Structure formats: structure tokens, C-alpha cells
Amino acid sequence: MLIKKPADIRPSEITSRDNYLNRRKFMQAAALAGGSLVAGDALTALVPDQKQAKLADIVPSQYSTDESPNSFMDITSYNNFYEFGMRKEDPKRNSQSLRTRPWSIEVSGNAEVTGTFALEDFVKPHTLEERIYRLRCVEAWSMVIPWVGIPLADIIKQFKPMSSAKYVVFETLLDKEQMPGQRSRSLRWPYVEGLTIAEATNPLPILAVGVYGEVLPNQNGAPLRLIVPWKYGFKSIKSIVRMHFSETRPGTSWEIAAPHEYGFYANVNPDVDHPRWSQARERRIGSDQGTGLQSLFSASRQETLMFNGYGEHVAHLYDGLDLRKNF
Ligand code: MTE
């Protein structure tokens, strides 16, 4: 088991461990008293339902970068999640009351196995992996994030997509009460993203349930979000409630909002600029000193890599495709 941790132990972590141990004690007592299967299941739940709980039995991944991860503070304080507001600090402030249990995922479309699955059942057959990935946002900033999740390819296999399934489409929860940003017309709701079936079954994408060895904070897309490390961050859709196997290419949120600026493919590409800014370089958030909000203002610039540095694993997916037209 490998859980990379920041050098300093945060107070929140100490609290979370205490909460976690208390809950385990409670569940053990309940199981002993009643011998109940439910309590037994909860004891071994792959993704515990309380905030900041530690995830157990995480295995390291051969696909992790050895660059140093951003701090927990940077990763959880500087977010894009328009359902909770448009400024970077909004998601942390406004997402805390999002209810992430019970949570279910509807699997639909051209697959042999479809239906609505509780999160616990959806993730149960799998092992959690830590994948330390670069996340390059289309806004020309980047971070390195120690995600915890399950390879999307393994999840997809379970549902046995048919040969007619050419795309996998994901949707975020639609709930104006819980997600106040959905009352504004900043995007068409629910947030939709998609991948070709070849992209979705490549070994790199994961469905993340955690970060830094802990359950995913709400602002990062709890309880389940996509991570596609060679694409701009907007492909990595948060708080997923639907996975649909489609014959046709979906309209995706940012492409619908501004088709000349954001394409379906959204592969990180330093040679294809956004119409309003260059994509050749990026600002690595918090790369030079310490942790904390201060580091957000002291970021340095570095060159952006083709496919965000993941070309050896994914370049073949685009053989023969004009990446200037298919941006
Ligand atoms: N998913 C939803 N549902 N809504 C969003 O606004 N923003 C995207 C992506 N997923 C977004 C989303 C963008 S633009 C980025 S850069 C990443 O989430 C940011 O992920 P992070 O906040 O965990 O770093």
C-alpha cells in the first residue's frame, strides 16, 4: 500500500483519522451485536461515506508521474466547478452541503449490462489505485495531483459495451437546490462530457474517488469524477450520475457553450492555441514555495507538453487525425 503524503500533517487529517477510528469502532460493535451483513459491508466499503475518511488498500500505479504533487490545500482550494460558482474559491465554499450519499450511477445505452447502481456496487469489484497525474487546465494552469481511483477501462468492461457503442458519455448531477450555479446560464446543465470508446478503454483514464489517500472533497467532484490526464481539465467531469454508451458523438458542455474555443477532443496541445491565449506554456500552481493560499500567487511558468506528457500511451489514438481541426 502506498499513500504519498505531504511532509506536514494537517490538523484536518488528524481529525479525520479520529473520526474514522470512532466510526470503525462503532461499526465493529454493531456487527458484533447484530452480526448484521449491512454493518459488515460498511466495514469493508471501498469508499467510506464520511468526509476526509482515509481510503484503505490503495496500490501504486506504474502510470504515476514522479513530479512532486501540489499541496492538499492548492488542490482543494483552487477549483473549477461551475455548479458551485465561477470563481476559483467558490466550489470549496459552496459545495460543502452537497449530499454524496446515497449516490447512484445510471448506466445506459448500447451495453449488455445496464441499470442504476449504488456507488458502493459500482466500485465494489475493483481495487483502488493511486495515480499521480498532471492536470492541465485549458486556462493555462496546471497541478500535479495524487488521485485515488479505478481504471475506467476496468469499470467499462463490467458493463459489456456492444460494438455499436462508439462513445462513452458522462453526466453530472442536475439539482438546482444543491448546486446553485445551475440557476445561472453559464453553461447548459447538466454538465456533459464524453470520450470515444478507444479513449475510454485506454489504460490512463480513471474514475477518481479520492485524493491524497482520502475520500474526494466535494469541491473536487465527490463522490465520483473522471480524470483524463492527456486532455484539458474540462473533460474531467465531476460528481457523475450517468454513464451512457452511445453510437453518436455527444454535444459536450464547453463545446456547446463556445464551439470555436473548446473542441470535443481537447487534447493538451502546445501548438494549437486557444483563440484568446497561447497554450504553449502553463502556470504550475504553487510550484515554488510551501503550501497554503499564498502559493497560488507565487506560481511559475513552464512549457506545456504535447498530450500533457502522456503521448507514449495515447498518441496512437489520433493517427491520421488532423489535431488542428479536431482540437
Ligand atoms: N465538472 C463539472 N461538473 N463542472 C465543472 O465546472 N470543471 C472542469 C472539470 N470538471 C467542471 C468539471 C474544469 S474546467 C477543470 S480544470 C477541472 O474539473 C478542475 O478539477 P479540480 O477542481 O478538481 O482541479
Side-chain angles (χ1 to χ4, degrees):
M1 174 167 130
L2 171 98
I3 301 179
K4 291 220 166 154
K5 304 185 51 34
D8 51 333
I9 295 178
R10 291 165 287 109
S12 64
E13 198 179 292
I14 295 163
T15 317
S16 87
R17 187 178 299 127
D18 286 351
N19 284 345
Y20 182 58
L21 292 176
N22 281 340
R23 186 174 155 89
R24 269 190 87 87
K25 255 192 218 152
F26 169 76
M27 299 307 294
Q28 275 161 354
L32 281 176
S36 125
L37 190 68
V38 174
D41 271 359
L43 270 181
T44 56
L46 202 58
V47 191
D49 63 0
Q50 73 277 44
K51 285 189 179 162
Q52 298 185 314
K54 291 276 168 212
L55 297 164
D57 302 326
I58 302 167
V59 298
S61 166
Q62 56 170 316
Y63 298 108
S64 288
T65 170
D66 52 16
E67 286 172 79
S68 340
N70 277 84
S71 69
F72 186 84
M73 176 72 102
D74 287 346
I75 295 166
T76 59
S77 311
Y78 189 85
N79 301 104
N80 275 334
F81 200 168
Y82 275 30
E83 285 85 339
F84 295 104
M86 291 169 64
R87 288 169 307 176
K88 299 289 177 271
E89 64 274 24
D90 289 340
K92 182 177 187 173
R93 188 183 321 124
N94 300 334
S95 69
Q96 296 314 314
S97 56
L98 173 69
R99 291 186 300 275
T100 58
R101 290 298 191 291
W103 192 273
S104 55
I105 296 107
E106 185 196 341
V107 180
S108 59
N110 298 16
E112 283 176 36
V113 183
T114 55
T116 300
F117 301 86
L119 176 70
E120 294 72 17
D121 298 328
F122 191 80
V123 296
K124 200 171 190 168
H126 304 283
T127 304
L128 295 182
E129 268 186 36
E130 184 183 65
R131 297 256 179 131
I132 307 173
Y133 275 160
R134 290 179 286 275
L135 185 142
R136 169 59 158 80
C137 185
V138 73
E139 299 162 321
W141 53 265
S142 65
M143 292 200 208
V144 175
I145 304 183
W147 301 111
V148 179
I150 297 157
L152 177 62
D154 293 351
I155 296 215
I156 286 180
K157 216 182 282 166
Q158 255 178 280
F159 299 103
K160 305 192 173 135
M162 299 166 184
S163 57
S164 51
K166 306 288 186 222
Y167 296 88
V168 187
V169 188
F170 299 90
E171 279 179 28
T172 295
L173 178 69
L174 179 64
D175 184 340
K176 285 196 179 79
E177 297 305 315
Q178 293 201 77
M179 296 179 147
Q182 290 179 341
R183 291 178 210 150
S184 105
R185 294 190 175 194
S186 50
L187 289 173
R188 187 193 288 176
W189 310 110
Y191 197 100
V192 173
E193 259 311 335
L195 298 171
T196 66
I197 194 88
E199 291 172 333
T201 53
N202 176 277
L204 289 190
I206 57 166
L207 286 177
V209 296
V211 66
Y212 264 118
E214 288 182 5
V215 164
L216 214 54
N218 288 355
Q219 60 268 35
N220 293 95
L224 185 77
R225 60 92 54 94
L226 181 66
I227 304 292
V228 193
W230 73 95
K231 292 180 181 283
Y232 292 119
F234 67 84
K235 299 296 286 184
S236 292
I237 180 173
K238 297 178 168 183
S239 304
I240 295 168
V241 293
R242 185 160 182 238
M243 184 167 94
H244 179 74
F245 294 98
S246 171
E247 269 182 70
T248 52
R249 190 163 117 179
T252 51
S253 288
W254 281 101
E255 193 189 9
I256 291 169
H260 302 298
E261 301 186 16
Y262 310 104
F264 174 79
Y265 285 95
N267 292 319
V268 174
N269 189 338
D271 303 327
V272 177
D273 289 337
H274 184 279
R276 288 183 281 130
W277 60 83
S278 163
Q279 293 292 23
R281 297 175 76 74
E282 66 200 49
R283 188 168 60 97
R284 176 63 56 82
I285 299 296
S287 54
D288 47 1
Q289 48 185 278
T291 56
L293 277 172
Q294 248 188 342
S295 62
L296 299 178
F297 303 104
S298 55
S300 63
R301 287 193 178 272
Q302 60 185 55
E303 280 181 19
T304 286
L305 302 172
M306 186 64 203
F307 296 117
N308 205 20
Y310 296 97
E312 63 174 305
H313 304 294
V314 299
H316 67 274
L317 295 172
Y318 309 102
D319 281 348
L321 196 71
D322 181 344
L323 295 177
R324 286 191 174 273
K325 287 192 184 135
N326 299 280
F327 57 88

